[in-house]
Amino acid sequence: MEAQEVQKNMSNDLSTHSAEVKRRMSKRLKKRQAAEKRFQFYGMAAIFTGMMFLVILFTTIISKGWPAFLQTSIQLNVNLDPEIVDPSGERNVDKLMQANYTKIARTALYAELGGKPKNRKTRKLMYKLLSRGVDVQIRDVVVADPSLIGKTVPIWLYAHGNVDALLKGAIDRNTENSSRLVKDQQLEWIDKLVASGKMAKQFNWGLFTHPASSQPETAGLGVALIGTFFMIIIVLLLAIPIGVAAALYLEEFAPKNRVTDIIEVNINNLAAVPSIVFGLLGLAVFINFMGLPRSGSIVGGLVLALMTLPTIIIATRAALRAVSPSIREGAYGVGASKMQTIFHHILPLAFPGIMTGTIIGIVQAVGETAPLLMIGMVAFVQDFPTTPMEPATALPVQIFMWATSAERGFVERTAGATMVLLAGLFVLNAAAVYLRRKYERKW
Amino acid sequence: MLKVFSVELRGKVSEVLSLYVTGFLTYILPPVIVIGIVYFIGKWKAQRLLKNQGVAKNTGTAANALSLHSRPPYHGAFLALVSFLPAVIVFCAWSIAEGPVIKGMVNSTLPASVGELEAGKQDLISSVIGTVENGLKKLDQKELALLEQAAQYDKEVNKAAAPVEPEAIRKLFEDKNIILAENPEPYVLSAALKSRSFTQFSTYGKYTLFVLMSIAAFMIAYSSIKLRLRARNGVETIVKWFLILASIIAIVTTFGILFSVLFETINFFQIIPPSNFFFGTVWDPRFGWGATGGDGNFGQYGFLPLLWGTLYISFVALFVSVPVGLFAAIYMSEYAGSKLRSIAKPALEILAGIPTIVYGFFALVTLGPFFRDAGAVVGLEINASSVLTAGFVMGIMLIPFISSLSDDIINAVPQSLREGSLGLGSTKSETITKVVLPAALPGLVGAVMLAASRAIGETMIVVLAAGIAAKLHMNPFDALTTITVKIVNQLTGDHEFGSPETLVAFALGLSLFIITLMLNVYALYIVRKYREQYD
């Protein structure tokens, strides 16, 4: 249309109109070029937005989570009074487990802060500096080495969650005394302890070893890590053999007909079924029908194995397809049977690809939460499970439970646990990338 | 390092070690050794046959000298598989069948009055029988005798006082940390004793049959090892059947999902009519006991508010993720140099690898409060858990999903189309918007549908960020709830299984499954069809 116009103008009056045409064309060109610039800018902005979200996500979690790896403790000279610890003198472990260690801890604290306060209220304020879990800490020391009974030993004991929050800056010391969780008198003691070096932040091993607890300072990921470990083992034991075998059949043996077509469509769809539906399957089949224990990591492992199966099948098929046909032909040429060709030549060459796919499947499974909620793995478990049949939780479920917990101190724990989860997934992903780089072959 | 572990954990470490070492020594090692021995017997026999044949060949005594059809290891594997596989299959079948059969036999010995009770009561009785049976292991000889005495007592026959009070039996179990719901009736005790003896009998039978079958199969297979035995073909056939079995599991899973969910959904629809569920606009489950008491009012289970919430939040998520994801994909495939690509692509893939619970936590503690405060500044009342928060975070999650799918699809558009357009003088952006994108449109629609199916099935983000209010409103700053949130809510509470309150989760699950399945099937169909067009 416009080209015609230009032509007409040109033929009519070339000299007068050429300047006008040039001006209009360059104007139009500028507009088009501006549109081009704008379009490019939108693309860059989109990539920038995506990366920005990534940065925001990580900085939020790390800034909220790093304090969880430190725990405020108080060093006290604890007198392991035989009268309290072991009145019978038998050194019987069962009896040692049940002694009143809270009393010992409090006595040590009173001594440290200049005598037991007469006033009941002051006394309460004072012993509230210590966590409720300190008895377990002293007990562990005593049971590990009963010869310490009767001696005075310096032990680092957990401070109360509020004291911890104050030292990490989560509680503002400038708010009014009545509305502050740490009172003025406690502040005085804390300052004294910090000044003498008796109160300090230490690396929090307990975050990795403690079981569930209602107090943030003694809550840990111990049970969740064991549960996740069991589930990974079950997924590996079930999903790899079954997934690889299914992929081998579908890729190498299955005749191309309607049935195998349906299986193929089915596997692709299975990979996109919402994870929560797998949880319903686990509840209905494994728990209600087969009678497996609720909350046990065996059920979680089975459900996650079914979820990972399509991922592994799809990855394995791609890896098998990527092996050069020349290998196959060479094997047939020297008289190998089909089975020998596949198991002796194709499968070993496809192995790195299969491993990469498997790790990606495991990464998905480890981060999965919703199906585990369905099968009752969201539970307050204090006993360390020794077998997959016993109740356990998993890392992401523990994050969910802490995230929904009302107590303030759990926010930091949640972010800390998230960091542990992300670090674990990062290691797995790095392994996958390493395998791919190291063994990748171009045919 | 061990110092940081508590006493419990240290105790567990040694317990676990001894448990797994003994487990390995008793359950894993012996079978492996036996199978290994059988394998070597087969291999050895084949090798000997070959050697004899060689001797016969050299001395010229054999009329028609034959060589071994399969190599010796195949004979070994053949012998091991044929010896044990049938016995293992029978053993497994027996193990699966024995539970229900024994239960049926025990139930038939219960008094007729039990049979007339309602189903729930009967289940309770069989669970008590199970508990007592498990508890029998912990009793010593004397206590067992006492229990047998109590079991034989029949109120109807001898009207005399019971020789052993039921309370005493209950106490007996309580001392062993086994809690019974009520005093066990004599028939419960006798049923438990019978059940135990049936189980013992079944176990002996099972193992005897296993051993006998293995020996018989071994003898037959051993004598069948000959030079011309096609051992390799036999082994390969068995392996192939294993492979077929494995690929059937994928199908079984789908049908397992469908039937398990469907079965419970039918139970639910027997209590709540489907029309009330699918067309109900009010979600208000109540604790109604139904037949066993209560007012029988189960409340209302309207599906529509949940569907509305799900669709609304998914829409917000797509509203965020589609432009960002699509533009990122366009820029990466059409403009970006290899340097930017090598940074941006993995960075976006990291976003895809983050578990959804992490996104949920981010929404809960950071984005939700941020939106609320930002809203307060401009005078908007934004709820901390709202459609906006959940949808926005879900949108972030979907960005890499959309961008990587679109990237593939855009790259699949033939280069000749681009070159043609550029050759006519159009700019790059004009080429993209007027040529490349229209050509890629069906594929992109498929990608968006796959993303929508993800958004609809997403659970953890909405559980933490969307709220639990099942309402029908348009306000994006207020809380709404989704299908997945309600599934989680209904199944994580302390509800009795079999009440509509928990069964509704399966009806919701089935709806979710069907919605996402339809989206997936259609999207995959589009993507597949489109890809083939240019190949």
Side-chain angles (χ1 to χ4, degrees):
Chain A
M1 187 51 198
E2 274 177 30
Q4 273 176 356
E5 231 177 75
V6 171
Q7 226 169 31
K8 214 167 94 192
N9 288 345
M10 267 160 53
S11 62
N12 277 358
D13 196 347
L14 208 89
S15 52
T16 31
H17 283 283
S18 70
E20 167 69 10
V21 169
K22 228 177 180 173
R23 199 186 58 79
R24 269 163 68 180
M25 275 189 72
S26 74
K27 198 176 158 194
R28 214 178 115 69
L29 202 60
K30 253 189 199 148
K31 218 169 137 191
R32 286 172 65 198
Q33 274 163 351
E36 169 74 28
K37 283 257 160 61
R38 233 173 13 245
F39 193 76
Q40 270 202 46
F41 171 76
Y42 292 150
M44 283 197 359
I47 290 182
F48 178 74
T49 314
M51 307 246 271
M52 191 190 64
F53 284 139
L54 187 70
V55 172
I56 292 176
L57 199 67
F58 274 94
T59 40
T60 317
I61 285 162
I62 292 172
S63 69
K64 278 197 198 301
W66 73 265
F69 294 94
L70 295 174
Q71 173 66 50
T72 307
S73 298
I74 307 173
Q75 192 189 31
L76 293 176
N77 291 317
V78 180
N79 177 17
L80 299 171
D81 188 353
E83 282 302 304
I84 302 173
V85 177
D86 190 17
S88 61
E90 291 168 2
R91 300 287 188 269
N92 179 335
V93 175
D94 287 338
K95 289 218 173 113
L96 288 183
M97 297 284 278
Q98 281 156 13
N100 186 358
Y101 293 107
T102 310
K103 191 173 172 189
I104 296 180
R106 285 179 187 173
T107 316
L109 182 71
Y110 298 148
E112 183 67 43
L113 291 171
K116 186 173 179 176
K118 294 274 184 303
N119 184 343
R120 222 181 116 92
K121 224 171 153 185
T122 323
R123 205 155 65 219
K124 192 173 169 189
L125 276 180
M126 192 180 271
Y127 71 67
K128 274 275 165 99
L129 291 177
L130 284 174
S131 161
R132 263 163 60 189
V134 292
D135 52 338
V136 180
Q137 284 185 297
I138 303 178
R139 188 202 67 186
D140 287 348
V141 171
V142 172
V143 174
D145 185 6
S147 69
L148 291 174
I149 294 173
K151 291 179 189 154
T152 301
V153 280
I155 304 178
W156 283 95
L157 297 174
Y158 288 153
H160 194 274
N162 290 339
V163 178
D164 190 44
L166 179 91
L167 258 70
K168 286 171 182 169
I171 291 179
D172 188 4
R173 44 165 74 218
N174 296 326
T175 44
E176 205 156 307
N177 185 35
S178 54
S179 62
R180 198 183 330 114
L181 285 166
V182 182
K183 305 296 171 205
D184 283 340
Q185 206 166 8
Q186 289 179 309
L187 274 182
E188 220 171 277
W189 292 323
I190 290 169
D191 290 339
K192 196 175 144 199
L193 285 169
V194 170
S196 62
K198 294 274 181 187
M199 183 188 269
K201 282 183 273 191
Q202 294 182 322
F203 188 77
N204 188 7
W205 286 108
L207 180 68
F208 300 96
T209 58
H210 287 314
S213 167
S214 52
Q215 286 110 41
E217 67 269 17
T218 51
L221 296 168
V223 173
L225 287 172
I226 295 174
T228 294
F229 172 75
F230 278 142
M231 290 197 295
I232 292 177
I233 297 290
I234 293 168
V235 171
L236 287 176
L237 287 180
L238 285 177
I240 294 185
I242 296 176
V244 171
L248 276 177
Y249 178 73
L250 292 174
E251 192 62 34
E252 303 285 344
F253 293 99
K256 288 274 164 276
N257 57 24
R258 271 200 93 80
V259 177
T260 44
D261 246 19
I262 292 173
I263 295 181
E264 183 149 5
V265 171
N266 180 37
I267 287 171
N268 283 335
N269 280 319
L270 214 50
V273 168
S275 58
I276 193 164
V277 176
F278 279 94
L280 289 174
L281 167 82
L283 177 61
V285 174
F286 297 131
I287 294 179
N288 284 350
F289 180 68
M290 286 166 66
L292 288 172
R294 213 175 137 79
S295 308
S297 37
I298 175 108
V299 183
L302 285 169
V303 169
L304 294 181
L306 288 182
M307 280 185 58
T308 358
L309 211 50
T311 313
I312 293 182
I313 293 177
I314 292 168
T316 306
R317 292 189 68 173
L320 290 173
R321 232 174 284 144
V323 175
S324 163
S326 61
I327 300 287
R328 206 180 298 263
E329 282 149 17
Y332 286 143
V334 294
S337 72
K338 190 164 190 184
M339 203 61 87
Q340 285 169 331
T341 307
I342 290 164
F343 277 92
H344 297 177
H345 301 282
I346 311 277
L347 199 57
L349 287 171
F351 190 71
I354 296 173
M355 278 318 294
T356 316
T358 306
I359 293 174
I360 291 168
I362 298 282
V363 166
Q364 281 173 5
V366 168
E368 201 53 74
T369 323
L372 303 182
L373 301 182
M374 300 290 95
I375 55 168
M377 285 192 82
V378 45
F380 190 79
V381 184
Q382 283 192 300
D383 288 333
F384 293 102
T386 49
T387 66
M389 307 298 271
E390 288 167 33
T393 57
L395 207 42
V397 179
Q398 192 67 61
I399 293 173
F400 170 69
M401 285 162 71
W402 283 349
T404 48
S405 163
E407 194 120 9
R408 217 193 124 84
F410 275 115
V411 172
E412 149 196 319
R413 294 262 149 173
T414 316
T418 307
M419 283 168 72
V420 174
L421 177 66
L422 289 177
L425 296 185
F426 180 77
V427 170
L428 282 173
N429 270 317
V433 171
Y434 174 77
L435 273 176
R436 193 158 52 195
R437 290 262 163 87
K438 178 149 188 209
Y439 295 105
E440 195 174 43
R441 281 193 200 207
K442 285 267 186 267
W443 302 95
Chain B
M1 184 59 205
L2 208 63
K3 245 178 112 180
V4 301
F5 291 163
S6 65
V7 173
E8 281 89 356
L9 199 53
R10 261 179 279 169
K12 282 285 161 155
V13 170
S14 54
E15 191 188 320
V16 163
L17 278 180
S18 68
L19 186 74
Y20 285 93
V21 169
T22 50
F24 177 77
L25 290 180
T26 47
Y27 294 110
I28 312 263
L29 201 57
V32 168
I33 289 175
V34 172
I35 292 171
I37 289 172
V38 171
Y39 170 81
F40 280 110
I41 290 174
K43 193 178 163 189
W44 169 76
K45 185 174 176 188
Q47 277 166 339
R48 215 184 37 164
L49 282 173
L50 187 63
K51 215 169 131 195
N52 292 346
Q53 188 63 30
V55 171
K57 225 183 199 171
N58 288 342
T59 52
T61 47
N64 46 350
L66 294 165
S67 61
L68 214 47
H69 171 270
S70 308
R71 290 174 61 232
Y74 280 107
H75 288 271
F78 176 78
L79 187 62
L81 282 170
V82 173
S83 304
F84 296 114
L85 203 59
V88 167
I89 292 170
V90 170
F91 187 84
C92 291
W94 187 318
S95 303
I96 292 168
E98 76 180 342
V101 170
I102 289 173
K103 201 177 165 195
M105 281 162 73
V106 169
N107 282 351
S108 70
T109 67
L110 292 176
S113 60
V114 177
E116 289 154 14
L117 292 171
E118 58 196 80
K121 208 82 175 161
Q122 280 187 12
D123 284 347
L124 193 72
I125 288 172
S126 30
S127 84
V128 172
I129 292 174
T131 318
V132 172
E133 195 197 336
N134 279 331
L136 290 177
K137 286 176 211 143
K138 295 193 181 175
L139 300 182
D140 60 22
Q141 217 60 49
K142 218 170 109 190
E143 290 163 333
L144 218 54
L146 198 71
L147 193 113
E148 270 161 25
Q149 218 180 338
Q152 275 153 15
Y153 169 72
D154 192 329
K155 233 187 272 176
E156 305 301 319
V157 180
N158 38 357
K159 298 252 181 325
V164 185
E165 289 295 325
E167 283 86 13
I169 300 292
R170 192 178 173 185
K171 185 89 191 350
L172 205 66
F173 281 108
E174 242 163 52
D175 292 341
K176 304 275 184 293
N177 274 333
I178 298 158
I179 310 298
L180 295 179
E182 50 191 39
N183 291 332
E185 295 284 339
Y187 64 78
V188 168
L189 297 178
S190 80
L193 288 168
K194 278 202 190 96
S195 175
R196 188 180 66 151
S197 67
F198 289 154
T199 311
Q200 272 171 356
F201 180 75
S202 168
T203 309
Y204 288 135
K206 194 162 69 173
Y207 280 99
T208 317
L209 188 67
F210 179 80
V211 172
L212 290 179
M213 267 187 84
S214 313
I215 291 172
F218 172 77
M219 308 259 261
I220 295 168
Y222 183 77
S223 63
S224 76
I225 293 183
K226 306 241 167 53
L227 279 178
R228 298 311 295 167
L229 175 72
R230 292 166 176 258
R232 179 173 56 75
N233 303 36
V235 171
E236 289 183 352
T237 311
I238 294 172
V239 171
K240 193 174 164 184
W241 275 102
F242 270 122
L243 300 186
I244 293 176
L245 203 69
S247 55
I248 288 174
I249 286 181
I251 302 272
V252 171
T253 310
T254 313
F255 282 101
I257 291 176
L258 204 59
F259 283 116
S260 62
V261 178
L262 196 65
F263 188 67
E264 305 288 356
T265 306
I266 291 170
N267 282 345
F268 172 71
F269 282 147
Q270 277 166 356
I271 307 169
I272 308 288
S275 58
N276 288 11
F277 175 72
F278 286 115
F279 302 110
T281 54
V282 179
W283 176 270
D284 179 28
R286 290 237 181 85
F287 194 64
W289 275 88
T292 54
D295 56 0
N297 177 12
F298 292 112
Q300 285 168 282
Y301 294 86
F303 178 60
L304 291 179
L306 309 187
L307 185 66
W308 166 243
T310 307
L311 295 180
Y312 197 1
I313 291 172
S314 304
F315 175 77
V316 174
L318 291 178
F319 191 77
V320 173
S321 60
V322 169
V324 177
L326 198 56
F327 268 109
I330 289 170
Y331 194 83
M332 275 197 290
S333 59
E334 303 287 328
Y335 289 102
S338 60
K339 214 168 177 182
L340 181 69
R341 242 180 109 83
S342 69
I343 298 170
K345 218 174 151 101
L348 286 182
E349 273 167 16
I350 291 176
L351 218 48
I354 294 173
T356 54
I357 178 76
V358 179
Y359 283 108
F361 174 65
F362 175 69
L364 181 74
V365 299
T366 309
L367 206 66
F370 171 75
F371 278 151
R372 187 192 52 209
D373 297 344
V377 170
V378 294
L380 269 174
E381 197 185 321
I382 301 181
N383 223 318
S385 47
S386 65
V387 174
L388 182 67
T389 315
F392 193 85
V393 173
M394 208 190 270
I396 299 176
M397 182 196 84
L398 290 177
I399 290 172
F401 192 74
I402 293 205
S403 78
S404 71
L405 272 176
S406 320
D407 198 16
D408 290 347
I409 291 159
I410 291 171
N411 278 330
V413 173
Q415 203 57 31
S416 58
L417 288 184
R418 289 190 188 84
E419 281 157 5
S421 167
L422 290 170
L424 286 174
S426 54
T427 63
K428 227 170 173 181
S429 63
E430 283 162 358
T431 305
I432 292 163
T433 48
K434 303 219 165 79
V435 176
V436 177
L437 287 186
L441 191 66
L444 295 177
V445 171
V448 172
M449 282 172 72
L450 282 180
S453 131
R454 271 233 167 160
I456 288 171
E458 172 47 46
T459 311
M460 293 325 293
I461 294 176
V462 280
V463 164
L464 288 173
I468 52 165
K471 282 180 250 161
L472 280 165
H473 64 68
M474 290 289 292
N475 183 3
F477 305 128
D478 205 355
L480 267 183
T481 196
T482 69
I483 301 173
T484 48
V485 172
K486 282 300 165 198
I487 295 177
V488 170
N489 279 353
Q490 297 309 112
L491 284 179
T492 47
D494 290 325
H495 304 303
E496 181 196 10
F497 198 87
S499 71
E501 282 186 296
T502 51
L503 288 179
V504 70
F506 290 92
L508 293 172
L510 186 66
S511 318
L512 187 67
F513 182 68
I514 290 171
I515 294 170
T516 52
L517 190 73
M518 287 193 314
L519 275 173
N520 291 335
V521 170
Y522 191 60
L524 286 173
Y525 166 76
I526 289 181
V527 171
R528 230 174 159 189
K529 191 179 161 194
Y530 168 72
R531 272 199 191 134
E532 280 159 6
Q533 227 172 359
Y534 293 116
D535 281 345

